[in-house]
Amino acid sequence: MQPIKLVILESPFAGEVNANSAYARRAAHDCAMRNESPQASHLLFTQFLNDKKPDERALGIALGLAWRKVADYSVFYTDRGWSSGMLAALDSALEEGRPYILRALDGPINLPDPAVDPLFRRFNHVVALLRRLATENDEALMMVLKALRGADIDCARFRISMIDTDFAREIEALICVYEIIHAIDRLRVYLNPKFSSVEECEGHVGATYHLESNRSSL
């Protein structure tokens, strides 16, 4: 068995509490399947602290952040957006240089948009960094695609191993079993999607999964 990592799980809680709690449990299960022991303070501390009271909510966030002294890293699950607590935790990780991972269970990683939601405007530097990292991942994936098209499998394996996203792990698995054509096709579609909206994609294939992108054609 691989070594178990201690992680702080970050996902939304306030608002749609039932749906957010169910999502947090899914995220915790995902962590467990990765040999991670998640500390989900928003599931635990809300059993005895009132998240609707600002002072108790702030206390809960502080108690959760205290675990950062022993955690290997924080994991942010973003399908249901970003809460103020999540952004505060990410801001803290960036300020202190602690490692973190962004994840999504049902599609591409969701980044907050400070231009749309005033709640996130004071975190402009965080959002800018996240978008830069997303761009760097895209550039790294394009290098993987170039290596595969050039039949440089070792180079492709090395480059894909440096990207910590679910999609990258999917491509890495295909490369490991020498499904090179399939890997090339998945990368090509991901980096240059055919449809510009979810509705257009659903109308064509009847599926809800869609990867939005403004990336240029390869």
Side-chain angles (χ1 to χ4, degrees):
M1 185 177 182
Q2 295 180 352
I4 294 176
K5 299 289 187 180
L6 302 178
V7 304
I8 299 175
L9 191 160
E10 301 285 357
S11 66
F13 182 80
E16 298 179 356
V17 174
N18 290 337
N20 286 339
S21 295
Y23 178 75
R25 288 191 290 271
R26 288 181 60 206
H29 179 266
D30 184 65
C31 286
M33 293 299 100
R34 300 170 184 267
N35 282 341
E36 296 170 343
S37 178
Q39 199 283 333
S41 60
H42 49 320
L43 289 182
L44 173 61
F45 296 154
T46 51
Q47 301 299 310
F48 52 86
L49 293 175
N50 189 342
D51 195 63
K52 294 182 179 180
K53 293 183 177 180
D55 56 338
E56 293 195 16
R57 173 177 169 77
L59 174 60
I61 291 174
L63 292 175
L65 289 176
W67 282 88
R68 61 194 176 189
K69 296 178 181 178
V70 295
D72 291 290
Y73 47 86
S74 297
V75 287
F76 295 81
Y77 284 83
T78 66
D79 294 280
R80 296 186 61 79
W82 289 76
S83 66
S84 58
M86 290 173 68
L87 281 170
L90 181 59
D91 195 38
S92 173
L94 291 169
E95 182 72 20
E96 298 177 10
R98 289 180 287 102
Y100 63 89
I101 297 174
L102 307 185
R103 289 177 182 159
L105 298 175
D106 303 316
I109 291 170
N110 181 27
L111 300 181
D113 186 354
V116 174
D117 194 334
L119 175 67
F120 298 139
R121 285 179 184 165
R122 71 187 183 94
F123 293 99
N124 274 336
H125 64 293
V126 174
V127 177
L129 177 60
L130 291 179
R131 296 193 181 282
R132 179 175 63 78
L133 292 173
T135 300
E136 289 175 354
N137 278 347
D138 288 351
E139 293 173 351
L141 287 171
M142 293 185 74
M143 295 302 294
V144 173
L145 178 59
K146 181 178 179 180
L148 290 176
R149 283 175 166 170
D152 191 344
I153 307 303
D154 289 339
C155 177
R157 279 179 170 170
F158 172 75
R159 290 187 179 280
I160 201 69
S161 69
M162 304 301 291
I163 309 173
D164 187 26
T165 66
D166 289 338
F167 178 74
R169 281 185 283 275
E170 175 190 338
I171 298 301
E172 186 174 17
L174 290 174
I175 295 173
C176 287
V177 295
Y178 293 97
E179 289 283 348
I180 306 304
I181 301 295
H182 190 185
I184 289 175
D185 187 59
R186 289 288 290 118
L187 282 164
R188 180 183 56 79
V189 172
Y190 179 86
L191 291 166
N192 186 35
K194 182 177 181 181
F195 302 104
S196 59
S197 70
V198 174
E199 291 75 17
E200 187 179 354
C201 182
E202 288 178 346
H204 181 75
V205 299
T208 57
Y209 184 71
H210 175 77
L211 293 171
E212 291 185 75
S213 173
N214 293 319
R215 303 166 183 124
S216 59
S217 177
L218 298 178

